[in-house]
């Protein structure tokens, strides 16, 4: 399934569905006038059989939703460097089997679990490059979105870049957690870290902003924390 949203389109009504599609691609064009983005996508897309999802949205995602129950990999390229800083992208994901998520965000981007606290629990590999505020939000106030994270690489060279990931891991984990963060001049926020019987390696020495963490880092196999900021 390929969905193309052209310049100056404001698409907000109804759900786009493709019951048998094996992949999903969403392309949203951009039209910026006087620093305001005039192309918006707010629909829901359901592609229950798609195993891969690619979003290339230079326009604005406004509470858009992707339902992809079988997707294991997803790439999100969002935002326009020419739009005003007030333009905010927001995306709800229902993707309980998602294992790998790659994000390249030019504007603020908030990704939220959709219908349960398990919607993003399967992510093990997270790669984020952001120019502004990147936030992972849980369903119903869930603070642990990355329950099964193994490798997280987070960065952004812009002076406005920041990331908020919530808690990492859970008490039942048997594999290691590795977090590497660089740049993020506006700050990095993570909650508690729990690698279970595995180890936790957190390298935040390249972060140039304020680093805020939860009260505990638990890992039976050991903790390595590298921070020079």
């Amino acid at each position: 399934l390929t969905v193309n949203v052209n310049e100056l389109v404001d698409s907000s009504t109804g759900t786009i569905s493709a019951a048998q599609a094996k992949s999903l691609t969403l392309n949203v064009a951009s039209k910026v006038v006087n620093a305001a983005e005039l192309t918006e996508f707010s629909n829901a897309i359901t592609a229950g059989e798609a195993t891969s999802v690619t979003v290339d949205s230079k326009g604005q995602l406004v509470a858009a939703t992707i339902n992809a129950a079988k997707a294991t990999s997803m790439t999100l390229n969002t935002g326009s460097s020419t739009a005003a800083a007030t333009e905010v992208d927001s995306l709800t994901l229902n993707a309980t089997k998602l294992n790998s998520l790659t994000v390249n965000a030019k504007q603020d981007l908030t990704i939220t679990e959709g219908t349960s606290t398990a919607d993003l629990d399967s992510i093990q590999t997270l790669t984020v490059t952001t120019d502004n505020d990147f936030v992972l939000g849980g369903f119903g106030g869930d603070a642990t979105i990355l329950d099964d994270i193994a490798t997280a690489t987070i960065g952004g060279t812009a002076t406005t870049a920041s990331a908020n990931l919530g808690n990492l891991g859970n008490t039942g984990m048997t594999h290691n957690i590795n977090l590497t963060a660089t740049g993020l001049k506006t700050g990095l926020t993570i909650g508690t870290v729990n690698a279970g019987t595995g180890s936790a390696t957190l390298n935040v020495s390249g972060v140039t902003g304020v680093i805020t963490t939860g009260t505990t880092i638990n890992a039976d196999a050991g903790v390595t924390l590298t921070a020079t900021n």
Side-chain angles (χ1 to χ4, degrees), residues 13-203:
T13 303
T15 299
I16 301 167
S17 299
Q20 300 303 317
K22 301 303 181 184
S23 64
L24 167 63
T25 299
L26 170 63
N27 299 311
V28 182
S30 174
K31 182 62 175 181
V32 177
V33 177
N34 296 326
E37 178 59 65
L38 301 183
T39 307
E40 297 183 358
F41 182 82
S42 304
N43 297 76
I45 302 177
T46 298
E49 295 295 317
T51 58
S52 64
V53 175
T54 301
V55 175
D56 187 4
S57 176
K58 295 178 177 62
Q60 191 175 3
L61 300 175
V62 182
T65 299
I66 293 177
N67 305 306
K70 293 186 178 180
T72 58
S73 65
M74 185 177 299
T75 299
L76 306 176
N77 301 310
T78 63
S80 168
S81 58
T82 60
T86 54
E87 301 289 351
V88 176
D89 290 312
S90 56
L91 178 65
T92 296
L93 296 180
N94 297 305
T96 56
K97 293 186 177 180
L98 187 63
N99 178 264
S100 176
L101 175 61
T102 300
V103 177
N104 182 9
K106 297 293 185 184
Q107 300 294 132
D108 288 358
L109 173 63
T110 297
I111 297 174
T112 307
E113 294 173 315
T115 57
S116 82
T117 59
D119 280 328
L120 299 177
D121 279 4
S122 295
I123 294 175
Q124 290 194 326
T125 303
L126 174 67
T127 304
V128 176
T129 303
T130 182
D131 285 354
N132 285 279
D133 297 334
F134 174 78
V135 178
L136 283 179
F139 175 78
D142 178 26
T144 307
I145 300 97
L146 299 173
D147 292 70
D148 203 35
I149 192 66
T151 303
T153 305
I154 316 296
T157 58
T159 58
T160 49
S162 73
N164 188 334
L165 306 180
N167 299 334
L168 306 179
N170 68 87
T171 56
M173 284 185 64
T174 57
H175 60 255
N176 303 335
I177 293 177
N178 294 280
L179 168 68
T180 302
T182 56
L184 304 174
K185 181 68 174 177
T186 309
L188 169 67
T189 301
I190 59 174
T192 60
V193 178
N194 200 325
T197 59
S199 65
T201 301
L202 311 177
N203 186 345

